[in-house]
Amino acid sequence: KTFDVVVVGSCMTDLVSQAPRLPKAGETIRGHKFFIGFGGKGANQCIQAARLGVKTAMICKVGKDFFGDNYIQNFKDNDVHTDFVWQTSDAATGAASITVNDAGENAIVIVAGANMRLGEEELQQALTAIRKAKVLVCQLEISSQTSLRALQMAHDNKVRTIFNPAPAVPDLDFGFYRVSDVFCCNESEAELLTGYSVNNVEDAHHAAQELLRRGCTAVIITLGPQGCVVLKAQDKTSTHVPSTAVKAVDTTGAGDSFIGALAFYLAHHPDMPLEEMARRANQVAAVSVQAVGTQTSFPFKRDLPADLF
Ligand code: RIB
Ligand code: NA
């Protein structure tokens, strides 16, 4: 079997509370709604790609528990291949405690659990799928060693790679840059990685130059409502790709919707200019911020205008 998009990454059960604002340290505040959803950056990205219509496989680990069983069913319901979804009894399925305020902003604590048990052994078992993929996508909610290995395996086999260094760490191994065809992060991650402050489009241009110098083929820095900045190794200057204004209800997972869509375009229209892929991925992510939840807000092909395909 072959897959267009293969994601090596995380699954989390999202425990979401909606409250007027985010609590301060030591404070208890009253929220108005609670719900449980499917999340985790890796799975979110994979499911968004699948919903746009490419063949996807997820390489991940969940617990041998209720949340893990449910997660596997969720992949099946979304047409994601599950032969490389392992279950362990040594750790619980990953969980994310999320608070969303009235402005649609969030604060998240993740406990990665079973996600940290995905390692070299599982990558070896999925090697054929990785080798034959059109696009491989990784993030940082699993062991960073495993992410780096997966990207290396893909890179060695000329599979195009997207790396999303989220959640960011200040001391990221420089090996990640050399195996990333598209290095895609948001403004705060760019800030942490480069040490530059990234508050506007101008700052993003500078941060992108610095990230590119470290060895990736292209850099995208997403800027929320301001769209994103795209910089390719063959070009001297980066391009600002603006996005259209929408009213944000819940921005949780918007970055994952963007990356899932980007993976879709890279697999489905490999020769499309990266700026155009980013413009379209912005539009997909803009739909996701206008509805509550993470995966529940990710659009399907049928929900989107035909000119995005
Ligand atoms: O990017 C959003 C995701 O981050 C949530 O689904 C949550 O699980 C955390 O991993
Ligand atoms: Na949303």
Side-chain angles (χ1 to χ4, degrees):
K1 276 186 197 134
T2 61
F3 306 97
D4 299 312
V5 173
V6 171
V7 177
V8 179
S10 59
C11 298
M12 305 277 175
T13 303
D14 285 353
L15 307 163
V16 187
S17 298
Q18 292 176 341
R21 57 182 178 80
L22 308 178
K24 297 187 202 114
E27 187 189 25
T28 301
I29 59 167
R30 221 175 257 280
H32 42 266
K33 198 185 167 192
F34 173 79
F35 60 91
I36 299 182
F38 295 107
K41 295 183 199 303
N44 291 346
Q45 294 168 14
C46 189
I47 278 169
Q48 180 63 85
R51 288 187 182 177
L52 298 179
V54 280
K55 279 206 287 173
T56 59
M58 185 73 196
I59 301 177
C60 64
K61 197 170 268 190
V62 296
K64 226 184 208 106
D65 50 28
F66 171 80
F67 289 124
D69 294 344
N70 270 282
Y71 218 117
I72 292 171
Q73 189 56 46
N74 178 54
F75 282 133
K76 291 182 175 156
D77 294 344
N78 282 280
D79 280 325
V80 174
H81 187 78
T82 56
D83 277 9
F84 312 115
V85 180
W86 284 276
Q87 283 188 288
T88 176
S89 39
D90 300 337
T93 298
S97 298
I98 305 181
T99 311
V100 179
N101 69 13
D102 282 345
E105 298 166 322
N106 62 60
I108 307 181
V109 176
I110 61 165
V111 179
N115 289 296
M116 298 307 284
R117 311 289 174 117
L118 187 76
E120 179 71 26
E121 214 185 295
E122 288 80 17
L123 293 182
Q124 286 305 330
Q125 288 186 56
L127 183 58
T128 314
I130 295 173
R131 271 197 186 134
K132 293 186 175 166
K134 291 186 182 150
V135 176
L136 180 113
V137 188
C138 284
Q139 319 72 27
L140 289 178
E141 286 182 335
I142 60 172
S143 130
S144 68
Q145 261 187 53
T146 306
S147 288
L148 184 53
R149 269 299 287 148
L151 288 163
Q152 258 157 3
M153 284 159 80
H155 186 76
D156 291 348
N157 287 282
K158 308 227 165 1
V159 175
R160 291 176 93 178
T161 57
I162 300 178
F163 177 51
N164 171 220
V169 287
D171 53 348
L172 184 72
D173 186 326
F174 270 51
F176 277 104
Y177 297 98
R178 293 187 282 269
V179 292
S180 299
D181 287 315
V182 182
F183 188 96
C184 182
C185 62
N186 66 20
E187 56 267 73
S188 67
E189 290 150 1
E191 216 170 278
L192 203 72
L193 293 167
T194 60
Y196 301 176
S197 58
V198 183
N199 297 313
N200 50 45
V201 173
E202 198 49 40
D203 293 347
H205 286 301
H206 293 298
Q209 295 282 1
E210 171 57 26
L211 294 170
L212 192 76
R213 267 197 291 277
R214 297 180 183 178
C216 31
T217 314
V219 174
I220 300 180
I221 300 179
T222 59
L223 302 164
Q226 296 189 84
C228 62
V229 158
V230 179
L231 176 61
K232 297 181 284 190
Q234 68 262 36
D235 297 346
K236 285 233 153 43
T237 56
S238 47
T239 309
H240 175 220
V241 180
S243 84
T244 43
V246 294
K247 192 189 174 317
V249 171
D250 183 350
T251 60
T252 313
D256 299 333
S257 173
F258 180 89
I259 287 173
L262 194 70
F264 164 80
Y265 292 119
L266 210 54
H268 199 248
H269 294 296
D271 299 322
M272 184 183 278
L274 190 59
E275 292 83 357
E276 177 61 16
M277 293 189 200
R279 191 187 66 81
R280 295 186 188 196
N282 266 338
Q283 283 178 259
V284 175
V287 173
S288 84
V289 305
Q290 296 174 74
V292 168
T294 308
Q295 290 177 22
T296 48
S297 70
F298 289 2
F300 288 80
K301 182 175 184 183
R302 60 172 183 268
D303 306 320
L304 295 163
D307 63 3
L308 286 183
F309 294 88

